[in-house]
Amino acid sequence: MYNLLAVSFGEIFLKGKNRNTFEKKVIEQIRSSLRGFSDIVVYKDQGKVFIETKNEYDMDEIINKVKKIFGIVLISPSIKVEKDVEIIKNKTKELIKYLCSKQNIKTFKVETHRSDKTFPIKSMDFSAIMGEEILNEFENLRVDVHNPDIYVYIDIKNSAYISSEKIKTVGGLPVGTSGSALLLLSGGIDSPVAGYMIAKRGVQIEALYFHTYPFTSERANEKVKHLAELLEEYCGKIKLYSVNILEIHKAIKENCREDETTILARRFMMRIAERIAKDNNIDMLITGESLGQVASQTMKSMIVIENSIDMPILKPVVGLDKTEIMEIARNIGTYETSILPYDDCCSVFAPKHPLIKPKLHVIENAESNLDVDGLIEKALSTLEIL
């Protein structure tokens, strides 16, 4: 029945003279997301973007992909027709008949928006005309302007567009309009959610995964790669870096107290992440830390860990509890992959009784027993792009 999607923007409307740049980004991402479909046309008609397809059987799959694109707040499956009163009447009645065959409808309301002021009938008058036309054709229907079973939306632009549904999407800002950040992507629940939340604010995401192969398995690597692929449905293409920090953990175990392991390892991770970010012109780091959730995420631990670098860190889930983070993970489709039981480097080398209130001078003294620069260079020599 439907032959295109009408796309509505949210915050982009607030961008003034920069709005066109934001719209172009969204259109680029729509085309990229739908590159696997044939006969797709994406175009603008008087301020709104439309996605037209010649194969209506693709519509559900197209909707599922487009609803994950940041910058879009609503999509409406629509019918495109000529800007002719009789044609609009006939197509609208066809749509009503189709909807009545799918659900029990007793009431309706027509809403017309006339962007093209050369169209001779004003919006409210055209809604009244269409309402009367529907009442004459369907005797069992009546008008309800407050709580109708269905809406009939008619949008008059260079063409006319008829729809009955507005599907809510993820919103946010188009990816790439707010800078770039490097996500420290573990195999857990929190970090994919953190990446999603920052990408939603228009940030281009790249990701970094630390492992200790062969102490962590190839299946753990595959798990993280799959998480990155799931995030790509929202964030666009993600470059995933991989670094082996086994030698760092060995050095910490040999030269430092066991309870300092987590804090020391995290400081190394931050330094390596900062180096990779600076080498690739990435603006900030992202972590999935939630305040107080584990030993390395107490306030004292965060202070000591972050003291090791100068680059700012974005922590979008820091004020959320685990239940809230898990709910977002389920909604974006990463939860089931995140809970697969493959150890990461943090869990493999986790001490039985980690420090929860580390002191900076004590940790710095422990690091004096390590060849910090040499260990970082050795780890960076294992850098791969997965």
Side-chain angles (χ1 to χ4, degrees):
M1 185 68 195
Y2 300 109
N3 59 2
L4 81 164
L5 286 180
V7 174
S8 297
F9 300 131
E11 294 178 66
I12 293 176
F13 284 111
L14 305 175
K15 298 304 175 182
K17 293 180 181 179
N18 294 320
R19 176 177 163 181
N20 192 48
T21 301
F22 282 72
E23 287 181 349
K24 284 181 178 178
K25 276 287 185 184
V26 175
I27 292 171
E28 285 175 14
Q29 286 156 23
I30 290 171
R31 287 178 173 146
S32 176
S33 180
L34 300 180
R35 62 188 178 276
F37 296 87
S38 59
D39 299 322
I40 293 286
V41 178
V42 183
Y43 66 93
K44 284 177 66 175
D45 185 352
Q46 295 191 358
K48 184 170 278 191
V49 170
F50 294 90
I51 305 165
E52 190 167 357
T53 175
K54 293 182 180 179
N55 186 356
E56 65 180 75
Y57 300 107
D58 288 337
M59 188 57 74
D60 288 343
E61 194 173 350
I62 292 170
I63 289 170
N64 187 52
K65 286 186 174 292
V66 174
K67 70 195 293 187
K68 295 177 180 178
I69 296 173
F70 295 130
I72 298 171
V73 292
L74 294 170
I75 50 177
S76 299
S78 305
I79 304 166
K80 178 183 178 181
V81 297
E82 293 177 38
K83 198 167 45 182
D84 176 90
V85 173
E86 292 305 313
I87 292 175
I88 296 171
K89 285 181 180 179
N90 291 333
K91 264 308 181 191
T92 301
K93 288 187 285 188
E94 281 184 34
L95 176 60
I96 296 289
K97 185 177 180 180
Y98 170 77
L99 294 172
C100 287
S101 71
K102 298 288 185 180
Q103 55 188 297
N104 183 25
I105 298 170
K106 295 181 179 179
T107 60
F108 72 94
K109 179 184 178 181
V110 179
E111 290 187 359
T112 303
H113 180 72
R114 184 184 63 142
S115 299
D116 183 1
K117 302 306 180 185
T118 64
F119 188 73
I121 307 172
K122 293 182 179 179
S123 297
M124 290 186 65
D125 294 337
F126 195 69
S127 292
I129 291 168
M130 292 305 304
E132 184 177 0
E133 192 76 19
I134 293 167
L135 289 171
N136 290 337
E137 182 76 16
F138 302 91
E139 295 180 357
N140 59 322
L141 297 184
R142 61 183 178 83
V143 174
D144 183 344
V145 297
H146 300 294
N147 189 30
D149 293 333
I150 60 164
Y151 283 88
V152 178
Y153 302 105
I154 301 172
D155 199 359
I156 309 294
K157 297 183 180 294
N158 292 321
S159 296
Y161 303 91
I162 309 163
S163 63
S164 66
E165 184 181 11
K166 293 183 178 182
I167 301 169
K168 189 175 180 181
T169 61
V170 290
L173 294 172
V175 171
T177 57
S178 299
S180 60
L182 180 65
L183 169 66
L184 276 67
L185 181 63
S186 71
I189 296 169
D190 304 341
S191 58
V193 171
Y196 166 86
M197 292 176 70
I198 294 300
K200 187 175 179 179
R201 300 311 306 151
V203 177
Q204 181 69 53
I205 299 295
E206 296 188 12
L208 170 59
Y209 168 58
F210 292 104
H211 66 92
T212 52
Y213 185 81
F215 285 84
T216 48
S217 68
E218 182 60 32
R219 289 187 298 179
N221 286 358
E222 292 301 321
K223 173 182 174 181
V224 171
K225 283 195 280 187
H226 186 50
L227 286 171
E229 289 167 359
L230 292 171
L231 285 176
E232 283 185 330
E233 295 181 16
Y234 301 90
C235 309
K237 275 297 189 183
I238 295 175
K239 183 182 287 187
L240 176 59
Y241 304 92
S242 168
V243 172
N244 191 327
I245 56 170
L246 177 58
E247 294 303 318
I248 290 172
H249 274 287
K250 285 181 177 179
I252 292 171
K253 186 175 182 179
E254 291 171 5
N255 297 284
C256 305
R257 288 178 7 213
E258 183 189 10
D259 62 351
E260 298 171 334
T261 300
T262 299
I263 302 299
L264 290 166
R266 291 287 292 179
R267 281 167 63 89
F268 273 101
M269 290 179 189
M270 290 297 164
R271 291 177 175 122
I272 293 167
E274 182 180 52
R275 275 280 299 274
I276 293 171
K278 287 182 176 179
D279 288 348
N280 291 275
N281 297 313
I282 298 171
D283 302 314
M284 302 179 80
L285 304 181
I286 308 168
T287 65
E289 292 166 301
S290 172
L291 187 61
Q293 188 178 125
V294 294
S296 65
Q297 295 175 18
T298 65
M299 193 169 290
K300 295 290 186 184
S301 295
M302 288 183 184
I303 291 169
V304 172
I305 290 167
E306 290 169 36
N307 178 267
S308 61
I309 63 171
D310 298 320
M311 182 169 281
I313 304 172
L314 296 166
K315 302 178 180 181
V317 303
V318 72
L320 303 182
D321 62 34
K322 196 67 175 184
T323 302
E324 292 169 315
I325 298 169
M326 288 165 61
E327 182 179 357
I328 298 171
R330 289 190 180 98
N331 289 338
I332 66 176
T334 58
Y335 179 78
E336 293 300 328
T337 300
S338 291
I339 62 172
L340 291 173
Y342 307 138
D343 287 333
D344 59 28
C345 62
C346 295
S347 58
V348 168
F349 291 93
K352 290 181 180 179
H353 304 290
L355 289 174
I356 59 173
K357 293 183 179 180
K359 292 181 170 60
L360 180 59
H361 73 276
V362 174
I363 295 299
E364 288 178 333
N365 185 58
E367 283 181 341
S368 68
N369 298 319
L370 303 168
D371 178 11
V372 173
D373 292 337
L375 287 167
I376 289 172
E377 293 303 324
K378 195 164 190 177
L380 284 168
S381 71
T382 71
L383 177 65
E384 294 180 277
I385 299 175
L386 300 182

